[in-house]
């Protein structure tokens, strides 16, 4: 831990779960996200809050829009620290990244399937 003190803070995103219809995803609520981001900003000198991520259902436009709204609600709390352009909104996958960008303003997407191909779950035990 001592060597970490001289390094720059680690950039972190907060995973938000707005709708858990699949029952397999995890994350904080929108209210918890605001409180956690403030906690990171004020009490965690080795971390730097950079934005939000969401792992909602594929193509859930309502979630993309709600995440964008949450970002807009949080921005004033980070004025002078994190600009709108630098605030990361990570959502969307190979299957729906275009919707995430268009409907939610995503500026970071996950394209694993596009890059590496579909996962092979038959080898899992």
């Amino acid at each position: 831990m001592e060597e970490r003190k001289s390094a720059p803070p680690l950039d972190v995103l907060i995973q938000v779960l707005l709708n858990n219809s699949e029952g397999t995803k995890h994350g904080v609520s929108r209210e918890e996200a605001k409180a956690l981001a403030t906690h990171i900003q004020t009490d965690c000198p080795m971390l730097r809050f950079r934005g939000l991520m969401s792992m909602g259902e594929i193509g859930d436009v309502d979630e993309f829009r709600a995440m964008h709204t949450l970002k807009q609600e949080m921005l004033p709390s980070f004025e002078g620290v994190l600009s709108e352009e630098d605030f990361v909104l990570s959502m969307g996958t190979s299957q729906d990244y275009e919707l995430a960008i268009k409907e939610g303003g995503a500026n970071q997407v996950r394209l694993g399937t596009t890059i590496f191909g579909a996962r092979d779950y038959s080898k899992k035990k």
Side-chain angles (χ1 to χ4, degrees):
M1 192 64 146
E2 197 60 37
E3 56 277 350
R4 181 74 202 122
K5 289 181 180 177
S6 63
L10 293 172
D11 291 339
V12 295
L13 302 178
I14 295 173
Q15 184 164 311
V16 180
L17 181 65
L18 297 177
N19 179 9
N20 193 16
S21 60
E22 293 178 31
T24 59
K25 310 291 186 195
H26 302 281
V28 300
S29 69
R30 65 184 302 119
E31 293 77 21
E32 291 168 324
K34 294 174 184 181
L36 182 55
T38 299
H39 173 72
I40 291 167
Q41 185 67 26
T42 58
D43 299 322
C44 301
M46 293 183 178
L47 301 178
R48 180 174 43 229
F49 172 69
R50 292 295 311 224
L52 304 170
M53 66 178 290
S54 174
M55 301 283 290
E57 285 187 57
I58 302 297
D60 188 343
V61 172
D62 290 336
E63 180 154 338
F64 296 151
R65 291 175 181 158
M67 288 294 292
H68 177 74
T69 299
L70 179 56
K71 171 187 170 179
Q72 296 304 312
E73 292 172 1
M74 293 177 70
L75 274 170
S77 298
F78 296 94
E79 189 173 341
V81 177
L82 186 59
S83 70
E84 183 167 6
E85 294 77 29
D86 291 333
F87 192 113
V88 174
L89 193 51
S90 175
M91 55 187 183
T93 65
S94 295
Q95 293 87 348
D96 62 356
Y97 71 92
E98 291 169 322
L99 272 176
I101 293 167
K102 179 181 177 188
E103 298 292 338
N107 55 11
Q108 191 175 92
V109 295
R110 295 174 297 280
L111 303 175
T113 301
T114 299
I115 297 168
F116 302 109
R119 292 182 187 178
D120 182 0
Y121 290 102
S122 67
K123 296 177 183 178
K124 283 193 166 190
K125 293 184 179 190

